[in-house]
Amino acid sequence: MTIHPGSAHRELTGLLDTDAIRKDFPVLQRLLHDGQPLVYLDNAATSQKPQQVLDALNTYYEQHNANVHRGVHVLAEEATALYEGARDKVAAFINAPSRDEVIFTKNASESLNLVANMLGWADEPYRVDSDAEVVITEMEHHSNIVPWQLLSQRTGAKLKWFGLTDDGRLDLSNIEQLITEKTKVVSFVLVSNILGTVNPVEAIVRRAQDVGALVVIDASQAAPHMVVDVQALGADFVAFTGHKMLGPTGIGVLWGRHELLEDLPPFLGGGEMIETVSMSSSTYAPAPHKFEAGTPPIAQAIGLGAAIDYLNGIGMDAVAAHEHAITRYAVERLLEVPDLRIIGPRTADDRGAAISFTLGDIHPHDVGQVLDEQGIAVRVGHHCARPVCLRYGIPATTRASFYLYSTPAEVDALIDGLHHVRSFFGAG
Amino acid sequence: MKLDSMYQEIILDHYRNPHGKGLREGDAEVHHVNPTCGDEITLRVKLDGAVVTDVSYESQGCSISQASASVLNDLVVGKSVGDAQKVQEAFLELMQSKGQSEGDEEVLEDAVAFSGVSKYPARVKCALLSWMAWKDATAQALAQRPE
């Protein structure tokens, strides 16, 4: 790995001890393509997993495996305690007022679909029907667009959205026309997975509350990287996923305000979510179980709990400070590369650690392929946010995204790699 | 370097100077996308009797998908529909070979350069985009013919 000449790294403040952290991540020791160290810059797609999380998964299956909330035997009680213990950890991590407000799902997409379906089937005053309006933004991940499109198509509700400014921010200039008395729900991303933008929560929440609309926040790219305090956000629902925050795949979270979860109807029916069942009707368990039909992702929830322990051990403020320093350095150095255009904010202010860019007219697929040959993993494509690509008139981007184990030397490797891409395709 | 087996000079040449690009009159038009990466092609086929007289297209995408469309134009224009379909089948077989086939140069000509791409599962769809669009457009052009 090339080290950037000069003292640029020493000027970076707030960096974590990545030498120590990286030892916890087995996959980061891998060599690719005949001895190239892995430079993993695809953290916005999924994070790598520390040994502590892998051990939690293994220990669960080796020592405690049983189904939860049923059975009186030792393993069943241990599995239940571990699963519900994970819920406690999530609740504390996001400062939820109550553990019963934490619903386990399989991912953030399911969490958002769950909210949309609750509201579609709800009674007044929450019901989204043909008189209602739903407001999203143009920078949403498809998982926060398509569920609302489906809801609108099925109910006749009108779907509206905030546009974007040229520098990758939300255009709030027409907020009063967008969020009106007719608005039933406003759903937006806290940190964009493609632009990296951190959105101004307070302004949107205040307007939504003024008109009595519910607020849903997609925190998938926020929960892994910064303090997410659901009470401070002022939202009604917050969704995120475990695998982007050091946890396993197959586990997501929906946090919802207690009184809403009490009033809103279930979506999936099945075991675990009931109180009593007869052949003609059923009554439902209280939240969160009302929304967790069937055997839940037990090991995955426990793995997420272990991931949260790991993050807490470092501290989310420290993680955020590290990523801010890396992001600032990466933005600076990327802008040195000829023909490189950052799609999104060109500073590290109010920006997360996912940085999208184009490189002249070299297609992102080709950029990613040549980087891969050098052991550098980035994401290429539209990042499940195709409307953003349309907005900026580009077919796709290359995205480098950093995490708590990312180093300045990896930024340097990326920059060297991009110079190589340019020369490979005859641009440099 | 392994990468050179994918980005052969012949592929980069087609990418930089695509043959037959641009939309011209056709008997059928299709629009195909690769949803995982956003590559797109609009492709028209013109037939005269049993002969493919033109394949015209507008496309955006990576070097592999662009070069592949250019090679497609070279290989099928002027051939009978039957012969062109044989080339298409040979190309599909090559791309599904996972690097095990070098391709028959008699049939595939420049397209044998794509044998290296077949080692990269994520890129096979890039190479096949225009060929699948052509297959679809040709089927439509044949179907709408009065018998």
Side-chain angles (χ1 to χ4, degrees), chain A residues 60 64-81 83 272 294-298:
Chain A
Y60 167 71
H64 311 293
N65 179 54
N67 213 328
V68 291
H69 303 135
R70 63 200 79 171
V72 291
H73 56 79
V74 170
L75 296 188
E77 287 177 355
E78 288 174 355
T80 303
Y83 177 70
E272 198 67 44
T295 297
I298 303 166

Side-chain angles (χ1 to χ4, degrees), chain A residues 312-361:
Chain A
N312 284 337
I314 292 169
M316 290 312 292
D317 283 323
V319 170
H322 174 81
E323 291 183 22
H324 184 69
I326 293 283
T327 302
R328 200 182 50 192
Y329 180 60
V331 168
E332 273 172 30
R333 293 227 55 208
L334 284 168
L335 291 173
E336 292 169 12
V337 179
D339 302 329
L340 188 143
R341 172 187 170 202
I342 289 181
I343 307 299
R346 289 161 63 92
T347 73
D349 301 328
D350 292 323
R351 161 187 244 310
I355 308 176
S356 276
F357 56 86
T358 57
L359 188 61
D361 59 2

Side-chain angles (χ1 to χ4, degrees), chain A residues 363 365-366 369 382 386 395, chain B residues 7 35 37 40 61 63 120 123:
Chain A
H363 193 276
H365 258 184
D366 295 319
Q369 195 81 56
H382 50 48
R386 188 164 174 272
Chain B
Y7 291 112
C37 64
E40 299 189 25
S63 57
Y120 294 82
R123 304 305 294 277

Side-chain angles (χ1 to χ4, degrees), chain B:
Chain B
M1 190 163 88
K2 196 174 153 205
L3 206 54
D4 291 331
S5 76
M6 172 186 291
Y7 291 112
Q8 295 200 17
E9 206 47 51
I10 221 165
I11 291 180
L12 294 175
D13 282 348
H14 275 281
Y15 168 52
R16 293 186 188 114
N17 301 297
H19 301 177
K21 194 165 178 172
L23 282 175
R24 295 173 294 278
E25 193 196 338
D27 299 322
E29 175 181 306
V30 297
H31 180 73
H32 279 211
V33 302
N34 182 345
T36 56
C37 64
D39 284 4
E40 299 189 25
I41 189 166
T42 302
L43 181 142
R44 289 180 189 164
V45 170
K46 177 85 181 147
L47 303 179
D48 182 2
V51 176
V52 183
T53 53
D54 196 15
V55 174
S56 65
Y57 59 96
E58 272 305 336
S59 59
Q60 61 175 29
C62 64
S63 57
I64 302 300
S65 70
Q66 302 305 292
S68 177
S70 172
V71 170
L72 165 77
N73 176 282
D74 271 6
L75 286 186
V76 302
V77 173
K79 283 198 170 68
S80 71
V81 171
D83 286 350
Q85 281 167 338
K86 288 198 185 87
V87 177
Q88 187 266 327
E89 281 157 21
F91 187 71
L92 178 62
E93 195 180 312
L94 175 67
M95 295 321 298
Q96 291 173 340
S97 74
K98 301 188 168 79
Q100 298 307 303
S101 167
E102 291 177 1
D104 181 351
E105 198 161 358
E106 293 277 303
V107 178
L108 288 171
E109 302 176 36
D110 276 5
V112 295
F114 287 85
S115 65
V117 178
S118 72
K119 283 182 252 174
Y120 294 82
R123 304 305 294 277
V124 168
K125 273 192 285 185
C126 307
L128 287 176
L129 180 68
S130 56
W131 292 78
M132 291 303 160
W134 176 79
K135 186 182 176 189
D136 185 8
T138 302
Q140 290 187 24
L142 291 172
Q144 51 184 247
R145 263 189 194 178
E147 285 301 324

Side-chain angles (χ1 to χ4, degrees), chain A residues 108-116 134-150 159-161 185-191 193 199 215-220 237 239 254 384-385 387:
Chain A
S109 294
E110 187 185 314
S111 298
L112 293 163
N113 277 277
L114 174 55
V115 181
V134 174
V135 176
I136 59 174
T137 87
E138 201 176 6
M139 70 165 78
E140 298 309 311
H141 188 282
H142 295 166
S143 62
N144 202 26
I145 298 175
V146 182
W148 303 112
Q149 288 176 341
L150 290 169
L159 185 64
K160 299 159 85 177
W161 54 88
V185 53
V186 180
S187 187
F188 66 96
V189 71
L190 183 45
V191 180
N193 75 310
N199 284 320
V215 175
V216 184
I217 292 182
D218 173 6
S220 300
F237 295 98
L254 177 67
C384 299

